[in-house]
């Protein structure tokens, strides 16, 4: 094998390695980006779940307030009917 052939072989291998490293960098970047996207999605989903629990609590409280208001209105109507009789 002549020196020129050896150099050509070294340059070819170096070129292949450079290409492989570039591909690995792209893959690592994509994986990192995917991990960040997944982490962000999970964080948002967790926050949304917490917000939904608060909303459910608020809805339960509103329902309770409405029931109490209905009972109060019914009592007022009863008193007015009794007063008119």
């Amino acid at each position: 094998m002549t020196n020129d052939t050896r150099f050509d072989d070294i340059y070819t291998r170096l070129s292949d390695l450079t290409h492989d490293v570039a591909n690995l960098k792209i893959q690592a970047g994509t994986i990192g980006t995917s991990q960040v996207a997944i982490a962000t999605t999970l964080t948002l989903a967790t926050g949304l779940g917490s917000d939904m629990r608060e909303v459910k609590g608020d809805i339960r409280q509103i329902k309770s307030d409405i029931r109490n208001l209905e009972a109060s209105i019914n009592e007022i109507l009863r008193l007015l009917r009794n007063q008119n009789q």
Side-chain angles (χ1 to χ4, degrees):
M1 197 174 233
T2 65
N3 283 340
D4 288 339
T5 307
R6 287 182 186 167
F7 284 128
D8 288 343
D9 184 51
I10 290 171
Y11 284 126
T12 300
R13 288 183 185 190
L14 183 58
S15 177
D16 290 344
L17 286 173
T18 302
H19 181 69
D20 290 344
V21 168
N23 284 337
L24 286 174
K25 285 182 179 179
I26 290 169
Q27 290 174 2
T30 302
I31 290 168
T33 302
S34 297
Q35 288 173 339
V36 169
I38 291 168
T40 302
T41 301
L42 289 175
T43 300
L44 291 173
T46 301
L48 182 58
S50 177
D51 291 347
M52 289 308 298
R53 282 188 290 280
E54 287 181 32
V55 168
K56 283 182 175 182
D58 291 345
I59 289 171
R60 280 192 286 279
Q61 182 61 48
I62 290 169
K63 284 181 176 180
S64 175
D65 292 347
I66 289 171
R67 281 191 291 273
N68 291 336
L69 184 60
E70 285 176 346
S72 297
I73 291 171
N74 287 335
E75 180 64 17
I76 292 168
L77 290 173
R78 186 190 66 75
L79 291 171
L80 288 172
R81 284 186 197 113
N82 287 343
Q83 187 179 15
N84 288 334
Q85 290 178 358

